[in-house]
Amino acid sequence: YRIESVSYQNKKDCRILQACLSNWFKDPKTLQFTDPRMKFPFRFNNWVNLYYDQIGITTFILKHERWIIGHISINIELRFMSAHLFHLIIDPSYRRQGNAERLLTHIENILQEKKIRRITLNTVHKNEPAKSLYLKNGYHLSGYKGAGSEKMEKTFL
C-alpha cells in the first residue's frame, strides 16, 4: 500500500480522479453517503467546482498494486490550528479491510507533525460504517448540521 498526494489543480491527476470517482459513485447511495449535496448521477465538474476550487485543500489517495483504492481530502486552517476532513472514500471492493483507517491514520500523523490540535468532519447520520470508524479512532459527536449530517471532532493534546 502507498499513500500519495494528488491535486485537483493538476490536469493529469484530475483525469485519474475523474475515472476513479465516476466508477465508485455508480451507486447513488455511495454518493449520498459521501456528500448529500451531490446529485446522482455523479458529475465530476460539479464535484470540483463545489469543493476543490479553493486554496488550502490537500487530497491523498491510497494505492494498492498501482490501483487507486481510496481518497481523502483535508482543509487545514493554520490560524485556528485545526483541520477539516472530508470525502473519505474507499473503492467498494476494498472496503472492510482497514483501508479507511490507513488513510485516516496517515492524515492524523501529518496533522500532529504540523501541531494541529483539532480535526473536524461531517458524516451523514445514516452512514453507520463511517461513524463507527470515526468513533473507534477517537472522534466524538460535537453537533448536528442540516440535511441529516452530524459534526464530529477529535482533539490532540
Side-chain angles (χ1 to χ4, degrees), residues 102-118:
R102 264 189 189 95
L103 278 172
L104 194 58
T105 299
H106 180 78
I107 291 289
E108 288 180 1
N109 289 339
I110 289 171
L111 294 175
Q112 285 181 306
E113 286 173 13
K114 292 180 180 280
K115 309 286 189 232
I116 299 297
R117 293 188 297 251
R118 191 180 113 190

Side-chain angles (χ1 to χ4, degrees), residues 1-3 61-64 67-70 99 102-103:
Y1 294 93
R2 213 171 70 230
I3 297 175
I61 55 170
L62 176 63
K63 286 184 165 183
H64 178 64
W67 291 100
I68 297 173
I69 63 166
N99 292 313
R102 264 189 189 95
L103 278 172

Side-chain angles (χ1 to χ4, degrees), residues 43-62:
R43 299 278 187 253
F44 184 76
N45 289 338
N46 291 356
W47 175 269
V48 173
N49 290 336
L50 272 174
Y51 306 104
Y52 295 97
D53 212 14
Q54 55 185 306
I55 296 171
I57 295 173
T58 305
T59 299
F60 294 91
I61 55 170
L62 176 63

Side-chain angles (χ1 to χ4, degrees), residues 8 13 28 74 116 126 147:
Y8 279 89
D13 288 350
I74 186 155
I116 299 297
K126 294 179 182 180

Side-chain angles (χ1 to χ4, degrees), residues 2-157:
R2 213 171 70 230
I3 297 175
E4 299 175 5
S5 175
V6 294
S7 172
Y8 279 89
Q9 309 307 315
N10 178 302
K11 288 182 181 184
K12 181 183 174 195
D13 288 350
C14 271
R15 280 194 311 272
I16 295 166
L17 288 167
Q18 182 175 10
C20 290
L21 294 170
S22 296
N23 187 43
W24 296 345
F25 291 138
K26 286 180 182 173
D27 172 18
K29 184 177 177 182
T30 302
L31 181 59
Q32 189 67 27
F33 274 177
T34 304
D35 197 316
R37 294 183 292 175
M38 289 293 296
K39 303 292 182 222
F40 190 81
F42 175 72
R43 299 278 187 253
F44 184 76
N45 289 338
N46 291 356
W47 175 269
V48 173
N49 290 336
L50 272 174
Y51 306 104
Y52 295 97
D53 212 14
Q54 55 185 306
I55 296 171
I57 295 173
T58 305
T59 299
F60 294 91
I61 55 170
L62 176 63
K63 286 184 165 183
H64 178 64
E65 297 178 357
R66 295 179 30 195
W67 291 100
I68 297 173
I69 63 166
H71 173 289
I72 190 169
S73 294
I74 186 155
N75 188 1
I76 297 175
E77 292 283 343
L78 285 175
R79 65 182 176 187
F80 298 117
M81 297 309 290
S82 70
H84 185 75
L85 295 179
F86 59 104
H87 296 155
L88 173 55
I89 314 155
I90 301 297
D91 181 314
S93 46
Y94 288 90
R95 291 184 184 152
R96 306 197 58 80
Q97 299 172 24
N99 292 313
E101 196 161 12
R102 264 189 189 95
L103 278 172
L104 194 58
T105 299
H106 180 78
I107 291 289
E108 288 180 1
N109 289 339
I110 289 171
L111 294 175
Q112 285 181 306
E113 286 173 13
K114 292 180 180 280
K115 309 286 189 232
I116 299 297
R117 293 188 297 251
R118 191 180 113 190
I119 305 172
T120 61
L121 61 89
N122 299 323
T123 185
V124 175
H125 174 71
K126 294 179 182 180
N127 191 346
E128 292 300 327
K131 289 191 329 186
S132 175
L133 167 76
Y134 298 128
L135 290 170
K136 178 178 137 187
N137 283 279
Y139 290 77
H140 66 274
L141 182 64
S142 63
Y144 298 91
K145 194 174 174 182
S149 290
E150 298 175 347
K151 295 179 181 182
M152 299 184 85
E153 73 176 64
K154 180 177 183 174
T155 54
F156 298 114
L157 300 174

